[in-house]
Amino acid sequence: FFSAFNLASWGGIATFTFLIIPLSFLLIWLFKEKNLQERKEQILKNYLLFYFVWLFFTIIFSTIYGYSLVSMLNHFISGTNILVTIVLAFIFIDYFLIKYQDKYLKENLKKYRVLFSGVIMLVLGSVFLLLMNKNLISIIWSLASQLLDPFGESRIGSTVAENAQPYLLNWMGQIGKFFFWLFYLGMVVLGIEISKGIKNKKHKIYFPLVWILMLSGVLFSRISQNSLFNGFNAISRFVYFASILIFGIYFIWLYFNEKLNIKEELLIIALWLFFMLVAARGAVRFFFLMAPFICFMVSYFTVKLFEYSKKTKDELLKVLLFIVFILVVITLISSIFSFIKTSSQQAKYTGPSANYQWQKAMQWVRENTPENSVFVHWWDYGYWVQYLGERPTVTDGGHGNSFWDHLIGRYLLTTPYPETALSFMKAQNVSYLLIDPTDIGKYPAYSKIGSDAETQDRYSMIPIFVSDPSQTQETSEKEIRIFSGGNAGFVDEDIIYNQSGKDIFLPSQKAVVGAVILEMNKNNTNAFNKVDAVFFYNGEQFKIPLRYIYYDGHLIDFKEGLNAVVYFVPSISSSRSEEHTSELQSHSFISYAVFCLKKKKKYII
């Protein structure tokens, strides 16, 4: 019932339930089979029955929450959830071979029974998947890819902010360095406790070392954006996968060659640990999921430290461990008050995600639009319109049909043709189009999602810069204004510009446009002499003239310069006087600098 409830509450988190339980159960099955001497067949039969009943009633209880039996069956033969079915198939086949091994396996092959069970399961599974029009190789590749990118590299998955992959420094910033290292030590201690189930003394030492290698490979392969281990380059990915692979191979070798008797609860915690590390490395949103596990491992370390200090027979070591234990407890008590203070401050200044203006706007929607009106907008506002405005929307934060996000980005928010937008809205039976001022800053997101998958034809950015009066320079004939301090943006296409006979190369997504310099004629408020953009790349600064200025409804062409346009918007004053909103010369103003090459220009305009 609770597995089904977990699925209904948050499907993304339920995925971990259907990873941790099956794989933990598989390890427990393998160790039970290896170590049981009496009533082995009956005990394993009960284990098999338990697992089957858990899966069967998870599917049955899911119907309470609106899932159909067909959708649930499909749920467990696709994606990572297929592990639930794989484990069921394996233990069923393995139980059959255990029961009839004297009949089907020769004596010298019995120790390889687990391998035979695995091969049979793979063959039968491949045939079944082919009948279901699925491919085992693609599923395995998908599982491996999700170790790096839990939400995939699709335009939706890579653009949504909460799906962004965090760095190790983000972890430390969230929980503090001291708490992080206690968490790390807790995981190390877990490896030491697991090694106690290994009979061979040599491997009691080797196992914790390989365990620490695996932990460190997962954690430290993505330290920061500027680190050698940034999570993206080849060495980061090699360290990540190699550490997991080395541990996996070593653990399998131990299983077949050494006597192991590892406690079941340690196996469950170890699997829980592994998937939490992979999850928290994969997306910011999983910090919610990591919080209780981090607290658990810190507590685990503290309790084990106390046990070690009691059990050790060396008096000097006993004293040292007790001193460390007392210091840890004191620091944890201090951390409690620090965390309470931080949480209290966050709560004090946290309000509804929909601010006062949105609440008033949605009140207007409730009171002034027909009840069945359909709203379309960028997906961010879906739940606000649904729950505050009480009107249906085409998209929302659930991304139930992520392809619609692409359609809105392409055919509504970036299309150069109004008739295309109207056609799309008619197809969706839309009554109202909702636009928010923050959509300007979200332009990179919806232009990327709205782009063609191969050519990225719509992808662009709208960097915003603010006039800085302190940097204004004046002479008798001209005035130079600097626009900076805004959200500088990456160049969205490669730029090659010849300046003084030398080519300047600014690569896409690496070079940054950091400022705009405008030169005006003091004797004519609407006369512009030139405009330059300041780019930064590889520690160097490049000042390149731009060809176009868009101001006061007019496009000004200087006939030379980089084929890009900067769009100037006068500042808005609270005064009703028109002169406060129209005079460029007298007031500071915001510029929206849109750097676009020829093929993109039509989409921006």
Side-chain angles (χ1 to χ4, degrees), residues 23-37 40 44 47 94 113-114 194 197-198 207 251-252 254-256 258-264 267 271:
L23 290 179
S24 299
F25 190 89
L26 176 62
L27 289 179
I28 292 171
W29 172 277
L30 293 175
F31 283 111
K32 281 289 183 182
E33 182 280 323
K34 189 173 185 179
N35 295 316
L36 285 172
Q37 301 299 325
K40 174 189 291 189
L44 291 178
Y47 270 70
D94 200 46
R113 187 207 73 255
V114 171
I194 292 174
I198 304 173
F207 181 87
F251 190 76
I252 292 171
L254 276 179
Y255 175 80
F256 284 106
E258 298 293 336
K259 185 172 180 58
L260 307 175
N261 189 16
I262 301 172
K263 295 179 180 179
E264 289 90 340
L267 294 173
L271 264 298

Side-chain angles (χ1 to χ4, degrees), residues 59-78:
I59 295 173
I60 295 299
F61 279 118
S62 295
T63 59
I64 297 174
Y65 302 105
Y67 294 96
S68 68
L69 291 176
V70 173
S71 67
M72 286 304 300
L73 289 172
N74 186 63
H75 186 72
F76 289 118
I77 58 172
S78 60

Side-chain angles (χ1 to χ4, degrees), residues 563-578:
N563 190 26
V565 59
V566 58
Y567 176 67
F568 290 108
V569 180
S571 64
I572 297 176
S573 170
S574 59
S575 170
R576 292 180 179 272
S577 173
E578 291 184 2

Side-chain angles (χ1 to χ4, degrees), residues 346-408:
Q346 289 178 342
K348 186 184 297 184
Y349 298 104
T350 299
S353 58
N355 60 30
Y356 181 71
Q357 288 195 21
W358 266 96
Q359 293 174 38
K360 296 297 288 185
M362 291 301 100
Q363 179 185 3
W364 184 92
V365 167
R366 291 195 306 271
E367 296 173 355
N368 294 276
T369 64
E371 287 190 6
N372 293 325
S373 301
V374 177
F375 278 70
V376 69
H377 39 66
W378 192 228
W379 64 263
D380 291 14
Y381 321 121
Y383 291 141
W384 294 347
V385 177
Q386 291 169 15
Y387 293 101
L388 296 178
E390 298 179 2
R391 298 295 181 266
T393 66
V394 178
T395 56
D396 57 41
H399 305 287
N401 188 337
S402 59
F403 183 64
W404 285 0
D405 294 327
H406 166 69
L407 296 180
I408 290 175

Side-chain angles (χ1 to χ4, degrees), residues 472-481 519-529 585:
T472 299
Q473 305 169 24
E474 293 188 54
T475 67
S476 59
E477 296 182 351
K478 63 183 180 180
E479 178 179 330
I480 298 175
R481 291 196 176 188
E519 183 179 309
M520 299 179 294
N521 189 325
K522 286 194 72 173
N523 300 317
N524 185 344
T525 57
N526 288 321
F528 303 97
N529 296 337
Q585 197 75 3

Side-chain angles (χ1 to χ4, degrees), residues 270-291:
L271 264 298
W272 184 23
L273 177 153
F274 175 75
F275 287 114
M276 291 302 96
L277 291 184
V278 172
R281 187 185 184 278
V284 171
R285 67 192 306 169
F286 289 139
F287 277 153
F288 291 102
L289 188 63
M290 279 296 295

Side-chain angles (χ1 to χ4, degrees), residues 210-222:
V210 179
W211 173 261
I212 292 171
L213 175 68
M214 188 269 290
L215 293 179
S216 301
V218 176
L219 280 173
F220 300 112
S221 61
R222 188 177 172 82

